[in-house]
Amino acid sequence: LAKTTQPISMDSYEGQEVNITCSHNNIATNDYITWYQQFPSQGPRFIIQGYKTKVTNEVASLFIPADRKSSTLSLPRVSLSDTAVYYCLVGATLNYGGSQGNLIFGKGTKLSVKP
Amino acid sequence: DAGVTQSPTHLIKTRGQHVTLRCSPISGHKSVSWYQQVLGQGPQFIFQYYEKEERGRGNFPDRFSARQFPNYSSELNVNALLLGDSALYLCASSLRDDTNTEAFFGQGTRLTVV
């Protein structure tokens, strides 16, 4: 099962760009890399997903090098409302039934944005 | 469209009791998964159901069980509650049963066991 490693916490100021890097050395060929955001007492919310190179949407960019052993979530010009825990996930393959439906969350990165 | 809805939002139970948590997925989503999140940790996978069949089970004791109904809603049951079962229980729905599909989470049910 692919595991991820990311910093426990990060601090930033409003208006700055924030980059959160995640290591996933054992990522499988078929796995995508997905990032979720979670506010206190709420369920995680999908931010972005990618397989290789760069993906950009209206809230973030995801950079994935050629070896896919790491990825970087980039949040442009953060605001106070971006204070949350950010999780990096890669696909999981179970040993039976061929199902890959369970998401494996680590402890995530707690981002604190200050004024 | 309504998002994933969970009920109840909060619940207080006594040790040894039984609890049933409910989840309604987004319309059209056939996969429902359950996660347990204790304070300070990431969500931990409990079960996944797809088309009313169990597709995955996490490392949880047999006191935990679940099912999915014909309308794709789901229930999570926990018997013989322990203090350590106190957590936020999250339900997620998705179109497909693989991890490369975006999962939509509900707000969760906060269970407190006293």
Side-chain angles (χ1 to χ4, degrees), chain A residues 36 38 49 91 99-101 103, chain B residues 35 37 48 97 99-100 103:
Chain A
Y36 283 82
Q38 188 178 26
Q49 183 182 74
S99 171
Q100 302 180 12
L103 300 173
Chain B
Y35 293 81
Q37 186 173 27
Q48 187 206 16
D97 64 340
T99 56
N100 297 329

Side-chain angles (χ1 to χ4, degrees), chain B residues 28-58:
Chain B
H29 285 192
K30 299 180 179 180
S31 174
V32 171
S33 298
W34 288 94
Y35 293 81
Q36 179 197 65
Q37 186 173 27
V38 298
L39 202 60
Q41 303 293 320
Q44 299 297 306
F45 171 72
I46 309 175
F47 285 108
Q48 187 206 16
Y49 278 78
Y50 181 76
E51 285 280 23
K52 292 155 284 183
E53 291 185 357
E54 181 182 305
R55 288 298 189 92
R57 175 186 287 255

Side-chain angles (χ1 to χ4, degrees), chain A residues 12-71:
Chain A
S12 182
Y13 291 93
E14 282 190 293
Q16 289 187 332
E17 177 184 75
V18 171
N19 295 308
I20 306 174
T21 298
C22 177
S23 297
H24 28 79
N25 292 319
N26 298 321
I27 188 169
T29 303
N30 294 333
D31 287 339
Y32 278 65
I33 299 151
T34 311
W35 286 79
Y36 283 82
Q37 174 194 55
Q38 188 178 26
F39 298 111
S41 298
Q42 293 188 23
R45 182 177 72 99
F46 174 92
I47 301 175
I48 197 167
Q49 183 182 74
Y51 185 79
K52 61 180 179 180
T53 63
K54 177 184 175 181
V55 180
T56 297
N57 61 22
E58 62 276 8
V59 298
S61 295
L62 179 59
F63 299 91
I64 305 168
D67 65 7
R68 303 198 333 118
K69 293 184 182 297
S70 67
S71 60

Side-chain angles (χ1 to χ4, degrees), chain A residues 70-86:
Chain A
S70 67
S71 60
T72 299
L73 174 72
S74 181
L75 303 172
R77 299 179 298 281
V78 294
S79 63
L80 295 177
S81 63
D82 292 317
T83 295
V85 178
Y86 292 82

